[in-house]
Each structure stands twice: as C-alpha cells, then as structure tokens.
Amino acid sequence: MELVHGGQIEVHLLQGCYLEASRAEQVAFNLEGLRFSLPNPPHPHLSLVIEEIRISAQLLRELADQSQVHFTRVPVVLDYLEIILPCLSRSMRDIKSHYEDRTLTRENRWRKMYHTMTDEASGLPLQQRFILYNHFLTLLRELLTRSPNFDLNALESVRLQIMQLRESRQIPPPPIRVGPMIRPDAHLDEISITSSVHWAEQIFSLPLPSRTALKHQRSPFNERQVSLIVYLSPRDRCPYLLMRTYHLGTPWFSLRGAHELCVERDGSCLQFWRWSTSEGCAKLWASLCFMTWEEMVLLYCSFLSFKARNSLTLQIAPQEQALRGERKLFQARIIDDGFRHSLIVYEDQMTKGLRLHAAIWEGELRQCPVWTAFITHQSASSTWMKRVSKYKVRLLDVQLYVFCGNYQQQNQRRGTAGAFEICFVSEEASKRFKELCSPSPAETTTETTTETTADTTDTTDTMTETTDATEQP
C-alpha cells in the first residue's frame, strides 16, 4: 500500500482522537478481564460501561477519519474537541488507576471505581457518563458531515453538561473563543443539505440477510486498524477512496480516485491495484480480507458502479467485470423499472452462495451493476418464488442492494407482502429461471443441464432481440 504520513493532513486535536480511541480500546479490554474475574456474574453495570467505552473508541476513529474527507469543515468542530477530549481522557485514566489498584480485591476495585466516579459526577452513573460522551461525539460527527439529522440545541445541551463535569473534575477550561461557539446556520454551506441518502450509504446500513463465512489465511478487514472511506470530491464530483492504516501507532493515509484503481478477487480478499508511472507496471494499493462473502460482494459491486459512472474513468478491464471465483449459472434479459437489464444468477465456488445480479444491458454503462440480492437460503425452498405469467416471476422474500440512484425498486414490488417481480423478455428464460432457482419436487434437472441452460439463455435472448415488441409482457 502506498503511504502518506497522516500528520500532513490532520491537526493536533484530530490526532488526539486516534490516541484516545486506542486508550479506550485498552481500557475496555482490561475492564473485560476484570469482569471475568469477579464473582457472582453477570455484572450488568460493568458490562454497560465496557460497551459504551467501546462505542467511544469507534466514534472517535470515525470522527477523525471523516475529517480527512470533510477537511474544510474541521475548524467547525475543533473547539468542541477541546471540550470533550480532556474530559474523556481524564475519565479513562481514572478508570485505569482504579483497576490497577492492587491494594484492593478485584471486586472492591470495581465497587470503588463505580461509586467514586458516580459521586464526583453529581450522581451521574458511570455508564451514563460515557453515554453522554458518545452522544456528544455523534453530534460532532453529524456537524462535521453536514448531516440533516444534526441538532444544534442538543449539541449545546450536552456541551453544558460536559462543561459541568469538567468543572467537578477540576479540569481547566478550554481556550476562550470570542463570539458564539457556532452560528445557528454553520452546519450549512455552499453544498445544500438534502434528506436523500446516497445509495452507497444505504447499502452498508442494511442488515445482511445471511452471513456466509469465507475461508481466509490472513486477518480479516478490521476497521479499528484499517479504515476505508469513499467520498465524492466537491471539486470534480467524482468518487475517491481514502485508506487509513496504522504503522507503529501512527495513522497513515493514502488517497486514490476510483478511476485510478483496478479491482480483483484473491480468495477472501479484494485487491486494489494502481498504475505506477515511474515503474511502468501495476502495483498493489490495498488488499482487504473479508469475513463474509456478502460483504465482499457488496464492496466489489459498489466499486464497479463508482468506477463505471465516473467521468474520469478511461476504461474498465474485462476481467474487472467478473468476480473471480463466481460461476455464472444463468443469464437473461429483463425489463426492470422501465430499463433493459441483464439478470444473472451467480454461484460462489468457495462458499456455494447464490446471488441474483442485475446489470445494464447495453450502452456505455453495459455490465455496470444495478442491484444484487443474496438468495442462498431462499433457493432451498420451493415456495419463495412464483411464476405468475409466461414472462413474470415474483420473489416473496428478497432484499435488494441497489448500486445507483435512479433505480426505484418499489416499482417492481407487488401486493401487500411487497413481492419483487421480475419481468423477462423471453418466455423460455422465465421458465428456466424458475426451474433453476426454485425447482419443484418433480423436477430433477442436473447441475450439468442447469449450466447448459444458462449458456443457451443468453444466446436465445440475443437472437430474439429484434422481436422484443411481441415478446415483452
């Protein structure tokens, strides 16, 4: 991976976010060890404290990572970091001093820690203190990223509570700033906020319907040590990938446009390659190892869509448009939300997972991903799919992951149950798709026959292209 020293693009307080995140992880780890050694489990209060401290670590890393993308917004949050970081750091160092006090039994260390730190916060329980910190950090992240959910009144309310906690702990006040902390409209700028969510954000916020484990020889992708952020540059409105990793405890960053990278699969990893002008060859930029096949597929398809829809992309290599290790079982042409798409059924050879994949049928964006759906478990049932006409098949239980902004899947949903309707151009394709993905007990098609069907379906659709008007439903 090409590395650029993080100090070139971040300020002292943001470096402090990474430092306190590491401290929080260590404190949570040690508290977990303390919890296991205590008699009479499960100790719910201690478990809550541990969980909230882990959330603090995650939020601190997210805030610092997002600052590399929204760097023009960093000055807006710096004063607030001056407020929370010293207080948060003091709390974790106090916890550390309590659980390291070997003059007390482990049980008394926990009791003293909890009651002493609750009393010094005017009765605020220890777990509630970290909930307060996490609320504040969440609000700062929303302020930094111009989230439409940002609440200025809530930020001010939590700020006052943290200032009271600082005073009770005799932490010196932060530097005095002339004027208000933030204008009421400071979370707005020249880029207007809309309530719409980018399709990529939506994809990675949806729960996975299944988690198919991948076999891997290396450590999986760990966001605490490696962070990947994709963002649209306000300069050219094109997607860029920002990678953050650690070397000897120091964060390092590397930035590449999607148009500058190529992707390929190596077992359970996605490898991103860049072209080295000086050496005249491709060099590995990053290798990400995944725990599940589903997560790897989603990042792969997202990257392909970003690259294909990028005005700076010159070309996409043919080998990039197929995920190595997947076998094509079926391909046919469909009418999908008014567009011509290619519907493909893929089987992953490593995990035997199945997925549906819709891609653009023709034009400059041909083969660009539109959506995918994982059907590994559904395919074992004969009731999840129903052929409702010669050309139409409805799927009763399927979750789509959509890789573009103009596709509206609700236009394909039918009935109160929201069954997803697939509209084939060819009657034969509709029949064979049903046979492949939801065979009835009487059907005894072999794997060899299925693969032959997949190959001939694509040919049939191509041959019947001139008679679409009579074949379409």
Side-chain angles (χ1 to χ4, degrees):
M1 179 184 298
E2 180 191 22
L3 299 177
V4 179
H5 195 283
Q8 297 174 0
I9 55 176
E10 64 181 358
V11 294
H12 173 71
L13 283 173
L14 294 171
Q15 186 79 1
C17 289
Y18 289 120
L19 175 64
E20 297 307 328
S22 298
R23 192 195 310 274
E25 287 173 347
Q26 187 62 47
V27 167
F29 177 80
N30 288 333
L31 283 179
E32 192 71 69
L34 178 63
R35 185 175 71 87
F36 283 133
S37 68
L38 295 179
N40 305 318
H43 305 289
H45 289 84
L46 180 52
S47 297
L48 285 173
V49 171
I50 294 169
E51 179 62 23
E52 291 302 324
I53 292 176
R54 285 176 174 155
I55 294 174
S56 297
Q58 179 181 348
L59 288 171
L60 286 164
R61 290 193 191 280
E62 288 180 0
L63 189 61
D65 288 346
Q66 289 287 348
S67 72
Q68 312 304 323
V69 176
H70 304 278
F71 48 87
T72 60
R73 301 277 300 159
V74 168
V76 178
V77 301
L78 289 182
D79 286 334
Y80 291 100
L81 290 177
E82 288 272 20
I83 291 173
I84 189 171
L85 287 182
C87 196
L88 178 62
S89 180
R90 174 70 69 85
S91 295
M92 288 189 291
R93 284 183 280 122
D94 287 347
I95 290 174
K96 183 174 183 288
S97 66
H98 280 292
Y99 67 63
E100 288 184 346
D101 185 0
R102 300 187 181 279
T103 64
L104 301 174
T105 65
R106 288 184 174 87
E107 185 173 8
N108 285 337
R109 292 179 209 175
W110 160 238
R111 291 181 180 277
K112 182 181 179 183
M113 175 198 308
Y114 186 83
H115 292 295
T116 300
M117 297 189 72
T118 296
D119 291 343
E120 71 185 19
S122 302
L124 182 69
L126 185 55
Q127 65 271 23
Q128 290 295 325
R129 180 189 301 198
F130 282 92
I131 290 174
L132 183 71
Y133 290 152
N134 293 340
H135 189 193
F136 193 72
L137 290 170
T138 300
L139 288 167
L140 290 190
R141 183 186 60 191
E142 292 174 351
L143 174 62
L144 177 69
T145 60
R146 302 182 296 270
S147 169
N149 299 321
F150 173 69
D151 187 339
L152 179 61
N153 293 327
L155 180 67
E156 180 62 16
S157 174
V158 180
R159 183 188 72 85
L160 292 175
Q161 293 180 69
I162 294 178
M163 289 298 293
Q164 292 173 357
L165 184 58
R166 285 176 60 114
E167 185 177 354
S168 67
R169 297 294 297 117
Q170 298 182 342
I171 299 174
I176 298 176
R177 176 185 170 95
V178 177
M181 287 288 293
I182 182 173
R183 301 191 323 271
D185 62 343
H187 65 293
L188 302 171
D189 61 9
E190 68 279 1
I191 302 176
S192 61
I193 293 177
T194 65
S195 59
S196 61
V197 177
H198 193 276
W199 60 261
E201 296 178 87
Q202 182 69 17
I203 281 176
F204 291 100
S205 65
L206 291 173
L208 289 173
S210 59
R211 299 185 66 86
T212 309
L214 286 168
K215 299 177 182 178
H216 45 77
Q217 298 176 346
R218 285 175 286 175
S219 299
F221 181 33
N222 185 340
E223 66 177 4
R224 290 177 296 177
Q225 297 300 320
V226 178
S227 172
L228 177 65
I229 296 176
V230 182
Y231 69 96
L232 295 178
S233 169
R235 177 175 52 85
D236 53 24
R237 304 305 297 166
C238 291
Y240 286 81
L241 284 73
L242 177 69
M243 181 71 65
R244 185 265 295 154
T245 187
Y246 280 89
H247 179 65
L248 300 178
T250 301
W252 293 69
F253 297 88
S254 183
L255 179 67
R256 289 282 167 178
H259 60 285
E260 299 177 280
L261 298 171
C262 294
V263 64
E264 68 175 5
R265 178 182 177 181
D266 180 18
S268 61
C269 299
L270 286 182
Q271 294 183 337
F272 294 87
W273 296 80
R274 65 174 181 87
W275 183 258
S276 172
T277 304
S278 60
E279 299 183 29
C281 63
K283 299 191 69 174
L284 185 64
W285 181 70
S287 181
L288 305 179
C289 189
F290 291 84
M291 292 287 290
T292 69
W293 166 65
E294 290 86 352
E295 290 170 315
M296 181 175 64
V297 166
L298 292 179
L299 181 57
Y300 164 77
C301 291
S302 297
F303 175 78
L304 272 193
S305 182
F306 278 129
K307 186 172 181 178
R309 300 173 188 276
N310 187 343
S311 61
L312 299 180
T313 298
L314 298 179
Q315 66 176 359
I316 298 179
Q319 59 267 29
E320 283 190 271
Q321 295 178 331
L323 187 60
R324 183 184 298 171
E326 286 191 331
R327 180 175 54 171
K328 184 189 296 184
L329 302 182
F330 175 92
Q331 181 170 343
R333 192 149 36 105
I334 62 174
I335 304 300
D336 192 16
D337 189 26
F339 301 98
R340 288 186 181 189
H341 290 158
S342 175
L343 179 68
I344 306 170
V345 179
Y346 283 116
E347 180 187 49
D348 183 64
Q349 294 177 292
M350 178 185 291
T351 64
K352 301 305 178 183
L354 292 174
R355 69 181 180 101
L356 305 181
H357 179 88
I360 294 176
W361 175 262
E362 58 192 350
E364 293 183 356
L365 293 176
R366 184 176 181 273
Q367 293 186 294
C368 178
V370 177
W371 57 261
T372 196
F374 303 102
I375 60 168
T376 306
H377 301 303
Q378 293 94 320
S379 62
S381 170
S382 60
T383 60
W384 78 288
M385 179 185 296
K386 183 178 181 181
R387 193 176 179 206
V388 296
S389 74
K390 291 181 179 180
Y391 301 99
K392 297 178 181 178
V393 173
R394 291 184 184 176
L395 311 181
L396 302 180
D397 179 23
V398 65
Q399 176 174 291
L400 264 61
Y401 293 86
V402 180
F403 305 105
C404 61
N406 58 351
Y407 178 81
Q408 302 297 320
Q409 65 168 298
Q410 63 266 26
N411 293 335
Q412 297 299 123
R413 297 287 181 178
R414 301 290 185 268
T416 56
F420 185 77
E421 186 172 271
I422 299 177
C423 185
F424 290 90
V425 168
S426 163
E427 179 182 348
E428 182 67 17
S430 171
K431 177 183 176 182
R432 291 175 176 174
F433 176 75
K434 174 69 166 60
E435 292 172 350
L436 171 66
C437 295
S438 184
S440 63
E443 291 168 346
T444 57
T445 53
T446 64
E447 183 176 284
T448 303
T449 304
T450 300
E451 290 190 60
T452 304
T453 298
D455 292 336
T456 58
T457 300
D458 192 24
T459 305
T460 301
D461 281 339
T462 303
M463 293 174 61
T464 60
E465 192 167 1
T466 59
T467 60
D468 284 351
T470 59
E471 292 190 356
Q472 289 180 15

